């Protein structure tokens, strides 16, 4: 089970175990981590599951597809390491992954 | 708030899956029980006509939260029981198995049920409606390559079902009683777009036709229409809209007007009874009228408001409605409500391509956006609607101009 750390905008962090194959969004929802809203339940429609992949990990995460990058252009504080957490699947290779959450999803 | 306070959530719904953990996050220390007449933990309904039906997601994969979350939040869940009445004077919820449960706060998230049609043959084996997991499971047993499906109703659910069944290699016909599909919800241009795509994908859409009977010996065999036409079918799926589940509230004397009437804090006309989701009618400050919405966004947002209200944080509900629909390789995202529009402005090639945005305008202002494979038009469209400025239609239609440039900062 890959272990993932979610760090809130205010610095609070939570470390949780995720099922391999599940998404960073589902991991946050399952563990009641604030800051991920996920209105559409992971169908890449709402962009309310925005997160930043820690700089040390960004190269190890599969790149985003076009629909996702288009949505990411419109989130409130986009950065180079922005991702929609519902589109990032965790695997054992990502054990130790660190994810930062934005101040707002709207 | 006394630790012994009891909160009952009626319906293991989209709203309930949001409400229960939010209550805990907001500091509710009393008990929480969820009562449902279904036999599943709250699940995402949208995939029932999309990924679940097409077989790309399992029942477990569409659960909103795993069982562990409810136990962690100490939420009791009782499945397979139906609430029969609300006794407001004794603050009890009466169940059909004879039990009476005491509540301090009751939240009604009873959703909606399908509208049924009354024509001969609807009870035949192989004729279905689609609202819950059980329906979808049954439908799946009748699917299979080259089998024939007739879908009665060309709304989003009917069209999504058509798309999912095509993916399974079925022959699909959609019968629509109105002169065009999506009549209630989109402009003629958008409906024409979807008709073209379905035709390209091999689905037969027949508009302006009423199904008058369904026949078959034991199992469904065909559907007859008012004009004498007949369509052979191995399965029939009816999708002609939903009716909010308001009866319990009505019998208890709560105010009903096309839904259980709630204020901006999700409170009904009884201060200890709240409601959220498809079963409610609420005042929307953006469109300045009462709305009854059938969307996940509304269920989630209203549930959060209800949880806050129960915990004493009054946060008014004023979200922009939005909705999505997935068919084939098309992702439709809808921001806002188009009712009352006077003009439609289209950006992109709606007649030849698979990507465009339609802007619904009234008096120069943007009311709603239908964006197909256009996430940016959807996202910035939401912001433009909220800003409420006068917009230049030539700029809206100009595909070389990012909508972002039309926003006032
Ligand atoms: C096939 C399909 C596709 C959809 N696609 C989309 C989409 O793409 N996007 C979107 O935004 N929305 C979509 N929707 C709509 C969305 O699913 C609903 O708006 C949402 O589920 C509403 O949630 P809710 O919390 O109001 O109640 P629901 O999720 O409807 O749950 C209500 C629950 O209460 C139970 N209940 C009712 N009365 C009683 C009683 N007396 N006793 C016990 N239990 C009771 C019901 O059985 C049900 O389990 C779709 C719906 C369907 C059916
Ligand atoms: S959950 Fe909606 S886009 Fe990720």
């Amino acid at each position: 089970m890959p272990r993932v750390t979610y760090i809130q905008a205010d610095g609070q962090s939570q470390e949780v175990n995720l099922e391999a194959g599940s998404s960073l969004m589902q991991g946050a929802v399952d563990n009641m981590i604030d800051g991920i809203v996920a209105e559409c339940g992971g169908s890449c429609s709402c962009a309310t599951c925005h997160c930043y992949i820690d700089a040390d990990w960004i190269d190890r995460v599969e790149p985003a597809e076009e629909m996702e990058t288009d949505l990411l252009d419109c989130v409130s504080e986009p950065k180079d390491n922005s991702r929609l957490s519902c589109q990032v699947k965790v695997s054992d290779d990502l054990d130790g992954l660190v994810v930062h959450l934005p101040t707002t999803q709207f | 708030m006394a630790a012994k306070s009891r909160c009952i959530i009626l319906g293991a719904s989209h709203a309930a899956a949001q409400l229960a953990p939010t209550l805990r996050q907001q500091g509710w220390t009393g008990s929480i029980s969820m009562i449902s007449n279904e036999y599943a933990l709250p699940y995402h309904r949208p995939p029932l006509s999309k990924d679940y039906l097409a077989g790309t997601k399992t029942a477990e994969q569409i659960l909103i939260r795993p069982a562990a979350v409810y136990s962690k939040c100490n939420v009791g869940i009782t499945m397979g029981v139906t609430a029969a009445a609300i006794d407001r004077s004794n603050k009890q919820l009466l169940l059909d198995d004879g039990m009476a449960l005491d509540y301090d706060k009751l939240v009604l998230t009873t959703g909606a049920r399908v509208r049924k049609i009354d024509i001969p043959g609807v009870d035949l084996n192989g004729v279905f409606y689609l609202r819950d997991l059980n329906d979808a499971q049954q439908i799946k047993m009748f699917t299979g390559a080259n089998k024939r499906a007739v879908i009665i109703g060309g709304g989003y659910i009917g069209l999504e079902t058509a798309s999912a069944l095509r993916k399974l290699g079925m022959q699909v016909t959609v019968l629509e009683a109105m002169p065009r599909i999506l009549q209630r919800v989109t402009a003629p241009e958008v409906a024409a777009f979807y008709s073209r795509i379905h035709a390209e994908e091999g689905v037969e859409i027949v508009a302006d036709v009423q199904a008058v009977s369904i026949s078959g010996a034991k199992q469904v065999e065909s559907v007859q229409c008012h004009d004498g036409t007949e369509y052979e079918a191995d399965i029939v799926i009816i999708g002609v809209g939903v009716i909010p589940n308001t009866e319990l509230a009505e019998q208890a004397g709560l105010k009903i007007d096309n839904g259980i009437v709630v204020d901006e804090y999700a409170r009904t006309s009884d201060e200890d009874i709240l409601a959220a989701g498809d079963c409610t009618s609420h005042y929307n400050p953006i469109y300045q009228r009462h709305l009854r919405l059938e969307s996940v966004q509304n269920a989630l947002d209203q549930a959060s408001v209800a949880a806050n209200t129960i915990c004493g944080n009054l946060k008014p509900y004023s979200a922009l409605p939005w909705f999505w629909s997935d068919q084939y390789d098309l992702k439709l995202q809808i921001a806002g409500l188009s009712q009352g529009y006077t003009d439609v402005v289209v950006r992109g090639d709606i007649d030849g391509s698979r990507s465009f945005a339609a802007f619904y305008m009234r008096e120069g202002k943007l009311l709603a956006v239908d964006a197909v494979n256009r996430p940016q038009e959807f996202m910035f469209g939401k912001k433009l609607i909220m800003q409420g400025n006068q917009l230049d239609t030539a700029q809206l239609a100009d595909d070389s101009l990012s909508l972002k440039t039309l926003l006032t900062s």
Side-chain angles (χ1 to χ4, degrees):
Chain A
M1 276 211 205
R3 213 166 164 68
V4 175
T5 305
Y6 294 85
I7 304 179
Q8 300 288 341
D10 66 5
Q12 278 194 49
S13 81
Q14 270 165 289
E15 234 182 289
V16 297
N17 290 320
L18 265 58
E19 232 26 271
S22 98
S23 70
L24 285 179
M25 177 281 281
Q26 196 62 47
V29 171
D30 292 356
N31 292 285
M32 293 192 298
I33 288 170
D34 274 344
I36 295 286
V37 180
E39 283 186 337
C40 76
S43 80
C44 201
S45 297
C46 68
T48 61
C49 64
H50 175 212
C51 71
Y52 308 108
I53 306 291
D54 191 85
D56 290 345
W57 289 88
I58 190 74
D59 295 336
R60 286 199 252 170
V61 175
E62 291 277 317
E65 290 183 17
E66 192 186 336
M67 177 62 75
E68 185 189 340
T69 51
D70 281 355
L71 278 169
L72 284 170
D73 281 341
C74 319
V75 298
S76 75
E77 289 162 52
K79 296 185 191 161
D80 290 345
N81 57 343
S82 282
R83 289 300 304 266
L84 293 180
S85 58
C86 68
Q87 302 301 306
V88 181
K89 299 271 180 295
V90 292
S91 60
D92 290 325
D93 294 348
L94 293 179
D95 187 30
L97 179 69
V98 178
V99 178
H100 302 267
L101 300 171
T103 42
T104 171
Q105 292 291 351
F106 296 100
Chain B
M1 175 197 331
K4 62 176 177 27
S5 299
R6 291 146 302 193
C7 177
I8 298 182
I9 306 172
L10 181 61
S13 56
H14 263 279
Q18 179 71 16
L19 189 75
T22 312
L23 277 172
R24 288 290 180 229
Q25 277 165 345
Q26 295 298 321
W28 176 261
T29 51
S31 69
I32 304 177
S33 359
M34 223 185 258
I35 309 291
S36 174
N37 56 12
E38 288 194 68
Y39 288 91
L41 290 175
Y43 55 87
H44 292 282
R45 277 175 213 278
L48 297 181
S49 54
K50 309 180 183 82
D51 290 344
Y52 178 75
L53 191 57
T56 44
K57 274 196 180 149
T58 62
E60 202 183 320
Q61 285 169 327
I62 65 172
L63 287 183
I64 299 178
R65 301 173 192 275
V69 168
Y70 303 102
S71 33
K72 201 151 99 191
C73 295
N74 201 5
V75 177
I77 305 186
T78 310
M79 296 193 213
V81 288
T82 302
I86 305 166
D87 176 352
R88 286 168 60 194
S89 48
N90 292 309
K91 293 181 74 172
Q92 284 189 325
L93 181 69
L94 310 178
L95 306 181
D96 66 350
D97 62 4
M99 289 270 286
L101 306 176
D102 295 320
Y103 66 80
D104 296 290
K105 296 287 175 189
L106 172 64
V107 191
L108 304 173
T109 66
T110 47
R113 61 178 179 278
V114 292
R115 184 182 296 280
K116 301 218 164 166
I117 57 174
D118 186 19
I119 59 174
V122 278
D123 296 326
L124 278 169
N125 204 2
V127 181
F128 299 101
Y129 294 89
L130 177 52
R131 176 73 190 180
D132 54 38
L133 184 58
N134 185 44
D135 298 330
Q137 279 165 339
Q138 303 235 6
I139 289 171
K140 276 170 84 110
M141 291 196 271
F142 280 76
T143 57
N146 299 319
K147 286 194 179 173
R148 291 154 308 183
V150 171
I151 295 168
I152 299 178
Y156 288 120
I157 290 183
L159 296 176
E160 288 180 349
T161 303
S163 156
L165 298 183
R166 273 307 285 159
K167 278 189 194 152
L168 298 173
M170 294 179 66
Q171 297 173 37
V172 184
T173 302
V174 178
L175 304 177
E176 169 56 56
M178 302 281 210
R180 60 178 173 85
I181 56 169
L182 301 173
Q183 169 113 7
R184 244 175 3 107
V185 285
T186 66
E189 294 88 331
V190 179
F193 169 84
Y194 274 100
S195 295
R196 169 171 71 82
I197 300 295
H198 278 276
E200 285 172 13
E201 298 285 347
V203 169
E204 178 185 22
I205 292 185
V206 189
D208 230 345
V209 65
Q210 274 114 42
V212 291
S213 60
I214 302 175
S215 51
K218 266 206 208 122
Q219 185 129 333
V220 60
E221 287 167 19
S222 62
V223 178
Q224 291 76 40
C225 296
H226 77 289
D227 57 359
T229 51
E230 183 168 30
Y231 298 88
E232 290 183 11
D234 301 304
I235 176 174
V236 173
I237 300 165
I238 304 167
V240 292
V242 295
I243 302 169
N245 290 322
T246 58
E247 287 73 9
L248 281 185
E250 189 165 7
Q251 283 152 17
L254 299 180
K255 195 171 170 211
I256 310 290
D257 183 8
N258 180 32
I260 304 169
V261 176
V262 292
D263 65 10
E264 66 262 59
Y265 305 110
R267 294 179 297 207
T268 68
S269 49
D270 178 328
E271 62 174 0
D272 294 317
I273 306 180
L274 295 89
D278 283 13
C279 64
T280 67
S281 160
H282 70 279
Y283 181 78
N284 181 293
I286 303 165
Y287 292 96
Q288 298 178 4
R289 60 172 194 267
H290 277 88
L291 299 177
R292 183 172 65 75
L293 300 170
E294 295 157 15
S295 73
V296 169
Q297 167 272 322
N298 179 55
L300 298 186
D301 288 346
Q302 228 172 17
S304 298
V305 168
N308 274 288
T309 301
I310 290 173
C311 297
N313 315 321
L314 292 185
K315 282 191 180 175
Y317 176 39
S318 66
L320 183 72
W322 81 273
F323 190 81
W324 77 97
S325 173
D326 296 335
Q327 298 167 48
Y328 310 107
D329 56 346
L330 309 178
K331 178 171 290 298
L332 167 64
Q333 294 162 293
I334 302 168
L337 300 174
S338 61
Q339 277 82 4
Y341 74 91
T342 48
D343 305 285
V344 178
V345 178
V346 175
R347 160 183 287 234
D349 177 9
I350 194 170
D351 301 319
S353 78
R354 288 191 173 208
S355 150
F356 72 89
F359 301 99
Y360 295 81
M361 312 294 295
R362 188 173 62 201
E363 289 158 10
K365 290 185 183 171
L366 185 59
L367 282 181
V369 184
D370 287 348
V372 171
N373 293 344
R374 291 271 180 149
Q376 304 224 340
E377 277 73 4
F378 167 71
M379 295 286 285
F380 293 128
K382 268 181 158 178
K383 294 186 177 155
L384 286 171
I385 298 169
M386 296 299 281
Q387 289 191 341
N389 294 331
Q390 292 283 324
L391 296 168
D392 179 326
T393 52
Q395 288 185 324
L396 281 175
D398 181 356
D399 219 352
S400 63
L401 200 71
S402 165
L403 274 199
K404 197 176 186 172
T405 58
L406 306 185
L407 287 168
T408 44
S409 49

